[in-house]
């Protein structure tokens, strides 16, 4: 897909995961399901996509949980300490709205990475209360296949909230692996936030956390609407290409 005229901008992405041959069928199935559901007015606005990402204090970008965006085809190599100081951040996103950020911390307030118990605590203590002002019966919830997401206790907890409207491994609709190009957090949010939060060179995790909160709070609903317009275009591309990932990202400016 190429941008034409001045209304589009082509952004190249370097993905950290290669599509396996067996993935294509699963990717086509999720695309066909979504395109059938989109016949319902505003269906795409009812899907809450979710994900975590690491934000390292030194600004190192881990390609496993963040895409690298550039106007040229990126070939990026960065040396990094073995155990950099970092934050693990979770968000849910749908057209016009972001829920979060949520920062994983232990009982002492220290930053930690995510595991099954911490993920379920986040769902119970943060995410579900955040849904109080929503018609949950109208919402679908998507998550990837990380082990902490798909443990039986986690799936049971999510089914208690969303019923059969769960898009996940072991959910009512199976989410295919290695499909970062289909989740707005991967193809937009994390890269966009990381492009801004290091501008003032934060020297502490608290400073970095404040920057993340500010940048996410400043994202306007109109921008998110365009992100989801792009999502529906991705469905068309992947269906036409028989499951192959999108090589380029095109946003209308």
């Amino acid at each position: 897909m190429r941008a034409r005229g001045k209304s589009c901008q082509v952004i190249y992405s370097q993905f950290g995961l290669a599509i396996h041959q067996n993935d294509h069928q699963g990717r086509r199935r999720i695309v066909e399901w979504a395109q059938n559901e989109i016949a319902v007015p505003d269906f795409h606005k009812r899907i809450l996509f979710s994900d975590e990402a690491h934000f390292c204090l030194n600004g190192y970008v881990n390609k496993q949980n963040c895409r690298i965006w550039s106007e040229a085809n990126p070939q990026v190599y960065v040396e990094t300490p073995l155990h950099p100081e970092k934050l693990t951040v979770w968000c849910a996103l749908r057209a016009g709205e972001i829920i979060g950020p949520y920062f994983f911390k232990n009982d002492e307030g220290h930053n930690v990475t995510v595991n099954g118990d911490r993920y379920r605590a986040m769902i119970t203590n943060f995410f579900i209360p955040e849904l109080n002002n929503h018609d949950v019966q109208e919402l679908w919830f998507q998550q990837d296949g990380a082990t902490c997401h798909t443990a039986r206790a986690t799936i049971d907890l999510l089914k208690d909230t969303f019923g059969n409207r769960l898009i996940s491994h072991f959910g009512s609709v199976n989410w295919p692996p290695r499909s970062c190009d289909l989740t707005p957090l991967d193809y937009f949010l994390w890269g966009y936030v990381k492009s801004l939060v290091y501008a003032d060179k934060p020297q502490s995790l608290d400073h970095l956390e404040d920057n993340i909160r500010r940048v996410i709070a400043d994202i306007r609903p109109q921008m998110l609407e365009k992100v989801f317009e792009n999502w529906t275009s991705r469905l068309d591309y992947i269906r036409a290409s028989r499951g192959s990932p999108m090589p380029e990202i095109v946003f209308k400016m």
Side-chain angles (χ1 to χ4, degrees), residues 114-204:
V114 63
N115 61 24
D117 289 339
R118 292 165 184 161
Y119 187 68
R120 288 187 290 275
M122 180 277 296
I123 292 170
T124 301
N125 301 324
F126 173 77
F127 181 43
I128 292 176
E130 287 287 321
L131 297 175
N132 283 341
N133 295 325
H134 298 72
D135 185 355
V136 178
Q137 299 304 314
E138 293 293 318
L139 294 178
W140 289 74
F141 179 72
Q142 180 274 340
Q143 61 176 9
D144 66 24
T147 303
C148 61
H149 297 169
T150 58
R152 177 172 296 181
T154 306
I155 294 296
D156 289 346
L157 175 60
L158 290 168
K159 286 183 175 179
D160 285 344
T161 303
F162 294 98
N164 63 357
R165 301 177 308 283
L166 177 60
I167 307 169
S168 169
H169 190 46
F170 302 130
S172 306
V173 177
N174 189 56
W175 183 256
R178 291 168 288 278
S179 293
C180 304
D181 54 328
L182 279 175
T183 58
L185 293 101
D186 276 313
Y187 72 71
F188 164 71
L189 183 67
W190 300 136
Y192 176 79
V193 174
K194 289 186 178 187
S195 73
L196 298 175
V197 296
Y198 297 106
D200 61 355
K201 297 181 172 56
Q203 298 300 305
S204 69

Side-chain angles (χ1 to χ4, degrees), residues 10-70:
V10 178
I11 305 296
Y12 293 86
S13 63
Q14 178 175 325
F15 290 92
L17 295 174
I19 296 294
H20 296 184
Q21 186 62 38
N22 292 337
D23 294 341
H24 294 297
Q25 185 175 359
R27 286 165 57 81
R28 288 197 300 271
R29 280 198 297 265
I30 192 72
V31 166
E32 290 168 0
W33 170 83
Q35 290 187 322
N36 288 335
E37 294 293 336
I38 283 174
V40 177
D42 293 333
F43 175 78
H44 66 288
K45 297 181 180 180
R46 294 163 48 193
I47 303 177
L48 277 165
F49 291 89
S50 70
D51 196 18
E52 304 95 20
H54 297 313
F55 285 74
C56 296
L57 184 58
N58 64 2
Y60 168 68
V61 176
N62 183 346
K63 290 188 293 182
Q64 291 295 100
N65 53 49
C66 181
R67 309 308 82 155
I68 299 172
W69 308 115
S70 174

Side-chain angles (χ1 to χ4, degrees), residues 90-108:
W90 177 93
C91 284
L93 183 156
R94 65 172 180 154
E97 178 186 19
I98 296 175
I99 296 177
Y102 176 89
F103 295 85
F104 286 93
K105 300 177 186 288
N106 61 19
D107 293 339
E108 290 74 41

